[in-house]
Amino acid sequence: MRCIIARFPFDLTMSGVVASMKGVKPEPITGESVLIGRRHYPVKQVGEVITRQDRRDFTGGEVTRAMTRLGFTCRSADESVPDPHASHVPTPLETASELLGSPSPLEL
């Protein structure tokens, strides 16, 4: 599919994007992201890899539109992406509940 990114035409395919991103470690996501395979990548990182241009040359919106047209799932900055490396910090309610233990079953 022909896509225009930073005023340059690119002939992109879904399999070509997947192949380009294979072996690329995702950077921390601070804004819009694209799901490629099982990994979430920042759109600017994907744009830089597939176009071989500097990130300042294009907008995240251009890459998001192109990736959406190719069939990838894109997320906006408002939607949170679960971080598999983040540890769960229990809330005060969860801590208290754990300290008190679960109620014993009622015997009839």
Side-chain angles (χ1 to χ4, degrees):
M1 175 179 297
R2 191 170 203 89
C3 301
I4 305 294
I5 300 174
R7 295 174 295 191
F8 291 99
F10 293 94
D11 289 318
L12 301 175
T13 62
M14 185 178 236
S15 60
V17 172
V18 171
S20 295
M21 296 306 293
K22 186 173 184 178
V24 177
K25 183 179 177 186
E27 296 173 358
I29 297 170
T30 57
E32 298 172 317
S33 65
V34 180
L35 177 65
I36 299 175
R38 292 181 290 188
R39 295 179 170 187
H40 289 273
Y41 294 91
V43 292
K44 288 284 204 165
Q45 181 184 12
V46 173
E48 184 176 50
V49 171
I50 63 174
T51 65
R52 295 187 176 99
Q53 294 182 5
D54 190 273
R55 294 178 189 204
R56 295 172 289 184
D57 294 340
F58 54 85
T59 66
E62 291 175 304
V63 179
T64 300
R65 278 190 299 278
M67 296 298 104
T68 302
R69 286 180 57 202
L70 287 173
F72 291 102
T73 302
C74 298
R75 293 189 179 187
S76 66
D78 299 334
E79 300 176 62
S80 64
V81 176
D83 185 5
H85 304 293
S87 61
H88 174 68
V89 178
T91 65
L93 179 63
E94 291 172 332
T95 304
S97 178
E98 186 178 311
L99 290 172
L100 292 173
S102 60
S104 60
L106 297 174
E107 294 184 41
L108 297 174

